Amino acid sequence: NMKHIILIVSILGLFACGGDSTTADIQLTSMQCGMCESTIEDGVKALDGVVAFDVDIDKKVGHIEYKAGLVDLSAIEKAISALGYSANNTQADAVAYEALAACCKVGGGH
């Protein structure tokens, strides 16, 4: 039934283009400096489904807007962990953390 197929396609199209985006705050407690900020921002913005991501370095929090149909918060946290930073209750990946520049490590100084 052709009408039925067209209806499904138009609904899928709406979801892909507009769709509902979800916003969340991610605690980035181990972030130290502007270099960390840009590493995290670039890494997260590269993920499929992330609409916007803004890091507040003073509050050590990232405000994220994402399409829940494409990516979920735990996947975003895992991506940040893989960059070497903690995200909410997800600890930083130890190997990635070790590879960070000294100024990006907790207590590393500047």
Side-chain angles (χ1 to χ4, degrees), residues 18-48:
D20 288 336
S21 56
T22 304
T23 55
D25 283 351
I26 299 174
Q27 299 300 318
L28 301 164
T29 49
S30 71
M31 180 174 67
Q32 301 299 307
C33 62
M35 195 167 133
C36 305
E37 181 186 4
S38 55
T39 301
I40 296 170
E41 278 190 350
D42 293 347
V44 171
K45 285 176 178 169
L47 296 171
D48 276 346

PDB file of all heavy atoms in Angstrom, residues 18-48:
ATOM      1  N   GLY A  18      14.557  16.895  12.233  1.00  0.00           N
ATOM      2  CA  GLY A  18      14.274  17.623  13.463  1.00  0.00           C
ATOM      3  C   GLY A  18      14.489  16.695  14.624  1.00  0.00           C
ATOM      4  O   GLY A  18      15.569  16.604  15.186  1.00  0.00           O
ATOM      5  N   GLY A  19      13.455  15.951  14.939  1.00  0.00           N
ATOM      6  CA  GLY A  19      13.529  15.015  16.048  1.00  0.00           C
ATOM      7  C   GLY A  19      13.706  15.752  17.358  1.00  0.00           C
ATOM      8  O   GLY A  19      14.008  16.934  17.381  1.00  0.00           O
ATOM      9  N   ASP A  20      13.503  15.060  18.436  1.00  0.00           N
ATOM     10  CA  ASP A  20      13.675  15.692  19.733  1.00  0.00           C
ATOM     11  C   ASP A  20      15.116  15.554  20.162  1.00  0.00           C
ATOM     12  O   ASP A  20      15.683  14.477  20.084  1.00  0.00           O
ATOM     13  CB  ASP A  20      12.774  15.008  20.769  1.00  0.00           C
ATOM     14  CG  ASP A  20      11.316  15.364  20.533  1.00  0.00           C
ATOM     15  OD1 ASP A  20      11.077  16.432  19.933  1.00  0.00           O
ATOM     16  OD2 ASP A  20      10.439  14.586  20.929  1.00  0.00           O
ATOM     17  N   SER A  21      15.690  16.647  20.606  1.00  0.00           N
ATOM     18  CA  SER A  21      17.028  16.513  21.156  1.00  0.00           C
ATOM     19  C   SER A  21      16.933  16.630  22.667  1.00  0.00           C
ATOM     20  O   SER A  21      16.063  17.297  23.202  1.00  0.00           O
ATOM     21  CB  SER A  21      17.989  17.530  20.551  1.00  0.00           C
ATOM     22  OG  SER A  21      17.495  18.815  20.727  1.00  0.00           O
ATOM     23  N   THR A  22      17.815  15.933  23.327  1.00  0.00           N
ATOM     24  CA  THR A  22      17.858  15.870  24.775  1.00  0.00           C
ATOM     25  C   THR A  22      19.035  16.707  25.239  1.00  0.00           C
ATOM     26  O   THR A  22      20.068  16.719  24.585  1.00  0.00           O
ATOM     27  CB  THR A  22      18.077  14.401  25.202  1.00  0.00           C
ATOM     28  OG1 THR A  22      17.044  13.619  24.617  1.00  0.00           O
ATOM     29  CG2 THR A  22      18.046  14.234  26.706  1.00  0.00           C
ATOM     30  N   THR A  23      18.876  17.396  26.351  1.00  0.00           N
ATOM     31  CA  THR A  23      20.013  18.142  26.895  1.00  0.00           C
ATOM     32  C   THR A  23      20.412  17.528  28.236  1.00  0.00           C
ATOM     33  O   THR A  23      19.579  16.958  28.940  1.00  0.00           O
ATOM     34  CB  THR A  23      19.679  19.629  27.101  1.00  0.00           C
ATOM     35  OG1 THR A  23      18.512  19.716  27.917  1.00  0.00           O
ATOM     36  CG2 THR A  23      19.439  20.333  25.785  1.00  0.00           C
ATOM     37  N   ALA A  24      21.672  17.616  28.539  1.00  0.00           N
ATOM     38  CA  ALA A  24      22.180  17.087  29.802  1.00  0.00           C
ATOM     39  C   ALA A  24      23.431  17.853  30.189  1.00  0.00           C
ATOM     40  O   ALA A  24      24.057  18.500  29.357  1.00  0.00           O
ATOM     41  CB  ALA A  24      22.495  15.601  29.655  1.00  0.00           C
ATOM     42  N   ASP A  25      23.762  17.772  31.460  1.00  0.00           N
ATOM     43  CA  ASP A  25      25.023  18.334  31.946  1.00  0.00           C
ATOM     44  C   ASP A  25      25.938  17.175  32.291  1.00  0.00           C
ATOM     45  O   ASP A  25      25.500  16.198  32.898  1.00  0.00           O
ATOM     46  CB  ASP A  25      24.798  19.204  33.184  1.00  0.00           C
ATOM     47  CG  ASP A  25      24.231  20.573  32.824  1.00  0.00           C
ATOM     48  OD1 ASP A  25      24.183  20.880  31.623  1.00  0.00           O
ATOM     49  OD2 ASP A  25      23.837  21.308  33.736  1.00  0.00           O
ATOM     50  N   ILE A  26      27.194  17.285  31.904  1.00  0.00           N
ATOM     51  CA  ILE A  26      28.177  16.244  32.198  1.00  0.00           C
ATOM     52  C   ILE A  26      29.250  16.852  33.088  1.00  0.00           C
ATOM     53  O   ILE A  26      29.863  17.859  32.727  1.00  0.00           O
ATOM     54  CB  ILE A  26      28.808  15.699  30.897  1.00  0.00           C
ATOM     55  CG1 ILE A  26      27.724  15.080  30.005  1.00  0.00           C
ATOM     56  CG2 ILE A  26      29.898  14.674  31.218  1.00  0.00           C
ATOM     57  CD1 ILE A  26      28.225  14.654  28.634  1.00  0.00           C
ATOM     58  N   GLN A  27      29.445  16.249  34.252  1.00  0.00           N
ATOM     59  CA  GLN A  27      30.485  16.731  35.160  1.00  0.00           C
ATOM     60  C   GLN A  27      31.846  16.311  34.608  1.00  0.00           C
ATOM     61  O   GLN A  27      32.064  15.137  34.347  1.00  0.00           O
ATOM     62  CB  GLN A  27      30.292  16.137  36.564  1.00  0.00           C
ATOM     63  CG  GLN A  27      28.957  16.506  37.216  1.00  0.00           C
ATOM     64  CD  GLN A  27      28.776  18.004  37.382  1.00  0.00           C
ATOM     65  OE1 GLN A  27      29.703  18.721  37.755  1.00  0.00           O
ATOM     66  NE2 GLN A  27      27.575  18.484  37.107  1.00  0.00           N
ATOM     67  N   LEU A  28      32.721  17.284  34.428  1.00  0.00           N
ATOM     68  CA  LEU A  28      34.059  17.023  33.873  1.00  0.00           C
ATOM     69  C   LEU A  28      35.093  17.382  34.934  1.00  0.00           C
ATOM     70  O   LEU A  28      35.905  18.287  34.755  1.00  0.00           O
ATOM     71  CB  LEU A  28      34.256  17.850  32.592  1.00  0.00           C
ATOM     72  CG  LEU A  28      33.241  17.574  31.473  1.00  0.00           C
ATOM     73  CD1 LEU A  28      33.267  18.683  30.428  1.00  0.00           C
ATOM     74  CD2 LEU A  28      33.506  16.226  30.821  1.00  0.00           C
ATOM     75  N   THR A  29      35.031  16.670  36.050  1.00  0.00           N
ATOM     76  CA  THR A  29      35.815  17.069  37.225  1.00  0.00           C
ATOM     77  C   THR A  29      37.322  17.011  37.003  1.00  0.00           C
ATOM     78  O   THR A  29      38.065  17.723  37.663  1.00  0.00           O
ATOM     79  CB  THR A  29      35.452  16.190  38.432  1.00  0.00           C
ATOM     80  OG1 THR A  29      35.505  14.813  38.022  1.00  0.00           O
ATOM     81  CG2 THR A  29      34.053  16.489  38.936  1.00  0.00           C
ATOM     82  N   SER A  30      37.804  16.170  36.079  1.00  0.00           N
ATOM     83  CA  SER A  30      39.262  16.054  35.917  1.00  0.00           C
ATOM     84  C   SER A  30      39.827  17.022  34.877  1.00  0.00           C
ATOM     85  O   SER A  30      41.032  17.054  34.652  1.00  0.00           O
ATOM     86  CB  SER A  30      39.652  14.610  35.552  1.00  0.00           C
ATOM     87  OG  SER A  30      39.244  14.305  34.229  1.00  0.00           O
ATOM     88  N   MET A  31      38.950  17.822  34.265  1.00  0.00           N
ATOM     89  CA  MET A  31      39.418  18.790  33.260  1.00  0.00           C
ATOM     90  C   MET A  31      40.248  19.882  33.949  1.00  0.00           C
ATOM     91  O   MET A  31      39.838  20.428  34.963  1.00  0.00           O
ATOM     92  CB  MET A  31      38.190  19.407  32.578  1.00  0.00           C
ATOM     93  CG  MET A  31      38.516  20.428  31.527  1.00  0.00           C
ATOM     94  SD  MET A  31      37.020  20.962  30.660  1.00  0.00           S
ATOM     95  CE  MET A  31      36.148  21.820  31.976  1.00  0.00           C
ATOM     96  N   GLN A  32      41.421  20.192  33.388  1.00  0.00           N
ATOM     97  CA  GLN A  32      42.337  21.135  34.037  1.00  0.00           C
ATOM     98  C   GLN A  32      42.505  22.470  33.320  1.00  0.00           C
ATOM     99  O   GLN A  32      42.708  23.480  33.960  1.00  0.00           O
ATOM    100  CB  GLN A  32      43.726  20.492  34.180  1.00  0.00           C
ATOM    101  CG  GLN A  32      43.732  19.217  34.987  1.00  0.00           C
ATOM    102  CD  GLN A  32      43.243  19.431  36.411  1.00  0.00           C
ATOM    103  OE1 GLN A  32      43.742  20.293  37.124  1.00  0.00           O
ATOM    104  NE2 GLN A  32      42.250  18.669  36.812  1.00  0.00           N
ATOM    105  N   CYS A  33      42.500  22.470  32.003  1.00  0.00           N
ATOM    106  CA  CYS A  33      42.912  23.681  31.286  1.00  0.00           C
ATOM    107  C   CYS A  33      42.202  23.805  29.944  1.00  0.00           C
ATOM    108  O   CYS A  33      41.399  22.951  29.570  1.00  0.00           O
ATOM    109  CB  CYS A  33      44.433  23.650  31.068  1.00  0.00           C
ATOM    110  SG  CYS A  33      44.973  22.249  30.054  1.00  0.00           S
ATOM    111  N   GLY A  34      42.512  24.867  29.228  1.00  0.00           N
ATOM    112  CA  GLY A  34      41.896  25.118  27.932  1.00  0.00           C
ATOM    113  C   GLY A  34      42.195  24.038  26.909  1.00  0.00           C
ATOM    114  O   GLY A  34      41.388  23.747  26.030  1.00  0.00           O
ATOM    115  N   MET A  35      43.368  23.407  27.050  1.00  0.00           N
ATOM    116  CA  MET A  35      43.714  22.324  26.141  1.00  0.00           C
ATOM    117  C   MET A  35      42.765  21.138  26.355  1.00  0.00           C
ATOM    118  O   MET A  35      42.295  20.518  25.408  1.00  0.00           O
ATOM    119  CB  MET A  35      45.161  21.900  26.382  1.00  0.00           C
ATOM    120  CG  MET A  35      45.743  21.053  25.283  1.00  0.00           C
ATOM    121  SD  MET A  35      47.541  20.969  25.538  1.00  0.00           S
ATOM    122  CE  MET A  35      47.783  19.237  25.352  1.00  0.00           C
ATOM    123  N   CYS A  36      42.496  20.846  27.626  1.00  0.00           N
ATOM    124  CA  CYS A  36      41.541  19.775  27.960  1.00  0.00           C
ATOM    125  C   CYS A  36      40.182  20.104  27.348  1.00  0.00           C
ATOM    126  O   CYS A  36      39.524  19.255  26.760  1.00  0.00           O
ATOM    127  CB  CYS A  36      41.303  19.677  29.471  1.00  0.00           C
ATOM    128  SG  CYS A  36      42.742  19.464  30.495  1.00  0.00           S
ATOM    129  N   GLU A  37      39.782  21.351  27.541  1.00  0.00           N
ATOM    130  CA  GLU A  37      38.472  21.798  27.068  1.00  0.00           C
ATOM    131  C   GLU A  37      38.323  21.554  25.569  1.00  0.00           C
ATOM    132  O   GLU A  37      37.335  20.969  25.123  1.00  0.00           O
ATOM    133  CB  GLU A  37      38.304  23.295  27.391  1.00  0.00           C
ATOM    134  CG  GLU A  37      36.973  23.867  26.963  1.00  0.00           C
ATOM    135  CD  GLU A  37      36.907  25.381  27.173  1.00  0.00           C
ATOM    136  OE1 GLU A  37      37.930  25.983  27.589  1.00  0.00           O
ATOM    137  OE2 GLU A  37      35.841  25.945  26.906  1.00  0.00           O
ATOM    138  N   SER A  38      39.322  21.959  24.792  1.00  0.00           N
ATOM    139  CA  SER A  38      39.199  21.798  23.341  1.00  0.00           C
ATOM    140  C   SER A  38      39.282  20.330  22.928  1.00  0.00           C
ATOM    141  O   SER A  38      38.584  19.905  22.011  1.00  0.00           O
ATOM    142  CB  SER A  38      40.212  22.651  22.584  1.00  0.00           C
ATOM    143  OG  SER A  38      41.511  22.371  23.014  1.00  0.00           O
ATOM    144  N   THR A  39      40.086  19.534  23.635  1.00  0.00           N
ATOM    145  CA  THR A  39      40.171  18.092  23.334  1.00  0.00           C
ATOM    146  C   THR A  39      38.812  17.433  23.547  1.00  0.00           C
ATOM    147  O   THR A  39      38.326  16.676  22.709  1.00  0.00           O
ATOM    148  CB  THR A  39      41.213  17.403  24.256  1.00  0.00           C
ATOM    149  OG1 THR A  39      42.478  18.015  24.055  1.00  0.00           O
ATOM    150  CG2 THR A  39      41.304  15.912  23.971  1.00  0.00           C
ATOM    151  N   ILE A  40      38.191  17.744  24.685  1.00  0.00           N
ATOM    152  CA  ILE A  40      36.891  17.147  25.020  1.00  0.00           C
ATOM    153  C   ILE A  40      35.822  17.641  24.038  1.00  0.00           C
ATOM    154  O   ILE A  40      35.039  16.852  23.504  1.00  0.00           O
ATOM    155  CB  ILE A  40      36.490  17.465  26.482  1.00  0.00           C
ATOM    156  CG1 ILE A  40      37.486  16.817  27.458  1.00  0.00           C
ATOM    157  CG2 ILE A  40      35.073  16.972  26.769  1.00  0.00           C
ATOM    158  CD1 ILE A  40      37.340  17.265  28.901  1.00  0.00           C
ATOM    159  N   GLU A  41      35.802  18.952  23.793  1.00  0.00           N
ATOM    160  CA  GLU A  41      34.787  19.502  22.880  1.00  0.00           C
ATOM    161  C   GLU A  41      34.896  18.878  21.499  1.00  0.00           C
ATOM    162  O   GLU A  41      33.898  18.454  20.922  1.00  0.00           O
ATOM    163  CB  GLU A  41      34.904  21.027  22.784  1.00  0.00           C
ATOM    164  CG  GLU A  41      34.231  21.744  23.930  1.00  0.00           C
ATOM    165  CD  GLU A  41      34.131  23.251  23.714  1.00  0.00           C
ATOM    166  OE1 GLU A  41      34.742  23.786  22.768  1.00  0.00           O
ATOM    167  OE2 GLU A  41      33.424  23.895  24.515  1.00  0.00           O
ATOM    168  N   ASP A  42      36.116  18.818  20.952  1.00  0.00           N
ATOM    169  CA  ASP A  42      36.301  18.257  19.608  1.00  0.00           C
ATOM    170  C   ASP A  42      35.898  16.791  19.568  1.00  0.00           C
ATOM    171  O   ASP A  42      35.250  16.338  18.625  1.00  0.00           O
ATOM    172  CB  ASP A  42      37.759  18.410  19.148  1.00  0.00           C
ATOM    173  CG  ASP A  42      38.141  19.864  18.928  1.00  0.00           C
ATOM    174  OD1 ASP A  42      37.238  20.731  18.893  1.00  0.00           O
ATOM    175  OD2 ASP A  42      39.345  20.148  18.798  1.00  0.00           O
ATOM    176  N   GLY A  43      36.299  16.039  20.605  1.00  0.00           N
ATOM    177  CA  GLY A  43      35.998  14.611  20.648  1.00  0.00           C
ATOM    178  C   GLY A  43      34.508  14.337  20.715  1.00  0.00           C
ATOM    179  O   GLY A  43      33.995  13.443  20.038  1.00  0.00           O
ATOM    180  N   VAL A  44      33.811  15.123  21.530  1.00  0.00           N
ATOM    181  CA  VAL A  44      32.371  14.906  21.700  1.00  0.00           C
ATOM    182  C   VAL A  44      31.600  15.376  20.470  1.00  0.00           C
ATOM    183  O   VAL A  44      30.680  14.699  20.002  1.00  0.00           O
ATOM    184  CB  VAL A  44      31.866  15.597  22.985  1.00  0.00           C
ATOM    185  CG1 VAL A  44      30.342  15.571  23.061  1.00  0.00           C
ATOM    186  CG2 VAL A  44      32.460  14.906  24.213  1.00  0.00           C
ATOM    187  N   LYS A  45      31.989  16.524  19.918  1.00  0.00           N
ATOM    188  CA  LYS A  45      31.280  17.045  18.738  1.00  0.00           C
ATOM    189  C   LYS A  45      31.425  16.126  17.534  1.00  0.00           C
ATOM    190  O   LYS A  45      30.615  16.169  16.614  1.00  0.00           O
ATOM    191  CB  LYS A  45      31.779  18.449  18.392  1.00  0.00           C
ATOM    192  CG  LYS A  45      31.248  19.514  19.336  1.00  0.00           C
ATOM    193  CD  LYS A  45      31.842  20.873  19.002  1.00  0.00           C
ATOM    194  CE  LYS A  45      31.284  21.960  19.895  1.00  0.00           C
ATOM    195  NZ  LYS A  45      32.045  23.216  19.764  1.00  0.00           N
ATOM    196  N   ALA A  46      32.464  15.288  17.527  1.00  0.00           N
ATOM    197  CA  ALA A  46      32.676  14.365  16.406  1.00  0.00           C
ATOM    198  C   ALA A  46      31.714  13.178  16.455  1.00  0.00           C
ATOM    199  O   ALA A  46      31.574  12.455  15.477  1.00  0.00           O
ATOM    200  CB  ALA A  46      34.122  13.862  16.418  1.00  0.00           C
ATOM    201  N   LEU A  47      31.047  12.976  17.594  1.00  0.00           N
ATOM    202  CA  LEU A  47      30.133  11.840  17.722  1.00  0.00           C
ATOM    203  C   LEU A  47      28.860  12.069  16.919  1.00  0.00           C
ATOM    204  O   LEU A  47      28.330  13.182  16.889  1.00  0.00           O
ATOM    205  CB  LEU A  47      29.733  11.632  19.197  1.00  0.00           C
ATOM    206  CG  LEU A  47      30.833  11.244  20.171  1.00  0.00           C
ATOM    207  CD1 LEU A  47      30.294  11.315  21.596  1.00  0.00           C
ATOM    208  CD2 LEU A  47      31.324   9.834  19.876  1.00  0.00           C
ATOM    209  N   ASP A  48      28.358  11.006  16.298  1.00  0.00           N
ATOM    210  CA  ASP A  48      27.071  11.091  15.608  1.00  0.00           C
ATOM    211  C   ASP A  48      25.980  11.360  16.622  1.00  0.00           C
ATOM    212  O   ASP A  48      25.948  10.729  17.675  1.00  0.00           O
ATOM    213  CB  ASP A  48      26.752   9.747  14.912  1.00  0.00           C
ATOM    214  CG  ASP A  48      27.408   9.665  13.548  1.00  0.00           C
ATOM    215  OD1 ASP A  48      27.851  10.717  13.059  1.00  0.00           O
ATOM    216  OD2 ASP A  48      27.471   8.567  12.996  1.00  0.00           O
TER     217      ASP A  48
END
